[in-house]
Amino acid sequence: MLPSMTHNAHFIGNQWVSTLSGETLPVLNPSSGEIFARIARGNRADIDAAVATARQAFAGPWGRLSALERGRLLARWAEAILANQDELAGIESTDTGKPLKQARADVVALARYFEFYGGAADKLHGQTIPYQEGYTVLTIREPHGVTGHIIPWNYPMQIFGRSVGAALAAGNACVVKPAEDGCLSLLRVAALAAEVGFPAGALNIVTGLGAEAGQALAEHPGIDHISFTGSPDTGKRVAIAGASHHCPVTLELGGKSPQLVFADADLDAAMPMLVGAIIQNAGQTCSAGSRVLIERAIYEPLLERLAQRFSQLRAGPADLDLDLGPLVNRKQQQRVWDFLSDAQADGIPIVAQGEVVDEAPAKGYYQAPVLLRDVPPASRLWQDEVFGPVLSAAAFDDEDEAVALANGTPYGLVAGVWTRDGARQFRMARRLEAGQVFINNYGAGGGVELPFGGVRHSGHGREKGFEALYGFTRLKTVALRHG
Ligand code: TXE
């Protein structure tokens, strides 16, 4: 079903469709820096075709399926994904540079989204509302219609799963524009959707560049809801494009997430999560724990432990399955280098660095993990998302200072708190400005069930969990006067 990796096409109406312009884009393997595939360079005309097909599906066979049937299709899709785990992980790992074990975890998470939303599809219901005598008032949750999904390259399968899984469960037809640097696994996943019986047009994928296919999708008047994950700047462009046709937009725009470590914390439990939260996916994670705030009494000893661990970390080609793989592309590598050279110019001390192994090809996009200390709150390194394996540390003296430092960036996606003090756990959970707060853990193992999203520059709207289903529906109130 899937065309060979060099045969590029969009997935529209359960068919492989060549791009109307005939243009293609090269796909580079981040581990080697070599071209290994080509994808279709979608444009406005391809988006028009995909939206028209989705609209027909919504008005036709897909739109007429019951919630139970939609749920069953999602469950079957999840099974097919798990049955093809090795192939999907291999594609993802080559395409994005993820170590194989991370890519395998992403496949499992994708299937888990479809299991969760498959089970939830027929449990999404409205309410009856007590009103005046002689009335019955009820609410109905209806799908928006055709939803647009702009997916980034850092977790193509997971972010596709959380967004498209919820949208389909709620009864929408979807048009997806994956990132140019991470779309091959999704084309294979789309083929599996057709194989398990999704009606034509329920899911459509147009590949290409953000400024072309992505912008055309966000601007398209036939799109009834947009979900976007990516950078704050592009998020703003997408929101403006959505506003041009009064389309609701959900934005997830990354973060500068802090982990606060108090002197009474269980440091043995914290250590793996302090390190894992920044090196997972080479730091290219929206919820990466990129800042560690440490109570002064344990600042030096904890930094020493972190330094020891950082100096052991190894980056290398995805198939070696080391602690981390390469960054996704040259642009992201340059971005990390820019942050590090600014930090050097500001005199911010590096405490420890990992290594890039000798087997790593010189043209790959590698970056060894770096730990920096005494990072000033006003520095770019403290304020802005690096999206690389770079951990910034700073000391605090009391809760108030910890909260001020933690909340003192434009972002607010996730926060972690490490303390044994129960009252402080709740105080911190209330005072930290973030969409998720983890106490004595971080990231909660993916947390398909847990509503997720940001405040301020981290975006708005919630994905994951049951909450996402509300975002992918619109509420209708029906007031019946029967006397
Ligand atoms: O993001 P973009 P980039 C952050 C991270 C990273 C930075 C830049 O800090 O270093 O963003 O990454 C599509 N209309 N995150 O340049 O541009 C694009 O094709 C519509 C955080 O890759 O936001 C891709 O599919 N779509 C993040 C997606 O937007 C457009 C994940 C993301 O690209 C578009 C990724 C346009 N005008 C980056 N321009 C997270 N929250 O996890 C681009 N796109």
Side-chain angles (χ1 to χ4, degrees):
M1 182 84 191
L2 185 75
S4 86
M5 287 297 172
T6 50
H7 176 127
N8 37 76
H10 308 302
F11 183 83
I12 300 176
N14 283 2
Q15 313 256 337
W16 298 108
V17 180
S18 296
T19 193
L20 293 166
S21 70
E23 287 188 66
T24 63
L25 296 165
V27 183
L28 282 80
N29 176 342
S31 295
S32 66
E34 306 285 351
I35 296 175
F36 79 103
R38 299 195 75 84
I39 54 165
R41 180 173 179 169
N43 58 24
R44 198 166 290 274
D46 300 309
I47 292 289
D48 282 345
V51 173
T53 303
R55 293 228 73 91
Q56 280 166 15
F58 182 67
W62 170 248
R64 284 196 289 270
L65 282 191
S66 68
L68 171 64
E69 288 166 315
R70 295 197 302 269
R72 282 184 175 153
L73 281 172
L74 281 161
R76 259 187 254 149
W77 201 8
E79 278 173 28
I81 285 161
L82 290 176
N84 290 275
Q85 184 180 15
D86 290 343
E87 184 198 357
L88 286 168
I91 296 171
E92 192 79 320
S93 173
T94 310
D95 196 12
T96 66
K98 276 174 204 283
L100 266 171
K101 57 178 176 295
Q102 172 72 59
R104 293 179 70 85
D106 286 5
V107 179
V108 173
L110 169 63
R112 178 74 192 105
Y113 278 112
F114 293 162
E115 288 165 358
F116 180 86
Y117 287 117
D122 60 355
K123 290 152 195 85
L124 183 63
H125 48 68
Q127 297 175 318
T128 53
I129 299 175
Y131 191 53
Q132 297 169 16
E133 183 60 28
Y135 280 80
T136 296
V137 178
L138 51 95
T139 59
I140 304 174
R141 289 209 168 267
E142 297 178 336
H144 290 288
V146 175
T147 50
H149 305 257
I150 299 174
I151 313 284
W153 42 264
N154 55 339
Y155 290 88
M157 287 191 285
Q158 288 212 35
I159 295 173
F160 174 90
R162 77 186 187 196
S163 162
V164 168
L168 290 173
N172 301 281
C174 300
V175 180
V176 179
K177 208 301 281 177
E180 45 276 37
D181 289 313
C183 56
L184 298 178
S185 60
L186 301 187
L187 293 172
R188 180 70 186 111
V189 167
L192 293 173
E195 281 172 26
V196 301
F198 273 86
L203 169 69
N204 307 277
I205 299 186
V206 175
T207 59
L209 297 173
E212 298 172 359
Q215 186 75 28
L217 179 61
E219 285 172 357
H220 203 292
I223 292 292
D224 302 308
H225 179 280
I226 299 165
S227 126
F228 171 83
T229 303
S231 63
D233 282 348
T234 303
K236 205 184 293 177
R237 274 195 284 281
V238 168
I240 291 168
S244 72
H245 55 108
H246 299 291
C247 176
V249 178
T250 297
L251 300 176
E252 195 270 87
L253 307 175
K256 192 72 197 179
S257 299
Q259 296 213 55
L260 285 62
V261 189
F262 287 86
D264 67 344
D266 177 348
L267 297 185
D268 291 339
M271 268 298 294
M273 294 218 179
L274 296 176
V275 177
I278 188 62
I279 64 157
Q280 179 178 315
N281 211 34
Q284 304 167 116
T285 303
C286 39
S287 54
S290 53
R291 296 184 294 150
V292 57
L293 283 58
I294 305 171
E295 193 165 6
R296 198 170 303 279
I298 56 163
Y299 190 51
E300 297 302 335
L302 182 54
L303 272 184
E304 207 168 296
R305 284 182 73 167
L306 286 168
Q308 200 181 6
R309 184 71 191 105
F310 263 68
S311 57
Q312 295 163 344
L313 295 170
R314 295 183 311 149
D319 56 2
L320 292 189
D321 229 356
L322 302 175
D323 299 305
L324 57 164
L327 300 170
V328 76
N329 58 29
R330 180 85 181 83
K331 184 180 116 183
Q332 290 304 121
Q333 189 185 37
Q334 186 62 50
R335 177 187 171 99
V336 176
W337 289 348
D338 289 347
F339 271 95
L340 291 174
S341 64
D342 283 2
Q344 194 180 13
D346 290 346
I348 300 173
I350 289 182
V351 187
Q353 295 196 54
E355 63 162 325
V356 175
V357 297
D358 293 342
E359 297 91 316
K363 281 170 66 189
Y365 312 120
Y366 298 95
Q367 172 61 52
V370 184
L371 170 66
L372 298 103
R373 61 174 291 164
D374 309 339
V375 179
S379 63
R380 184 171 170 237
L381 188 59
W382 190 260
Q383 291 291 323
D384 212 350
E385 186 173 62
V386 178
F387 233 51
V390 178
L391 181 59
S392 298
F396 65 83
D397 287 308
D398 55 30
E399 281 184 22
D400 285 345
E401 191 185 7
V403 169
L405 282 170
N407 290 344
T409 79
Y411 294 97
L413 191 60
V414 172
V417 180
W418 296 88
T419 178
R420 288 186 167 99
D421 179 332
R424 177 189 282 150
Q425 292 168 358
F426 277 99
R427 277 196 301 276
M428 291 296 110
R430 299 298 287 257
R431 294 182 70 190
L432 290 168
E433 292 169 12
Q436 288 187 333
V437 179
F438 292 99
I439 312 285
N440 293 333
N441 71 102
Y442 193 83
V448 164
E449 307 84 349
L450 313 181
F452 177 73
V455 301
R456 299 197 298 263
H457 289 209
S458 289
H460 49 76
R462 293 293 176 262
E463 303 204 67
K464 298 190 177 185
F466 220 81
E467 196 68 26
L469 290 169
Y470 300 138
F472 282 112
T473 53
R474 54 190 185 196
L475 199 69
K476 179 181 281 174
T477 305
V478 179
L480 174 69
R481 184 172 173 209
H482 40 68

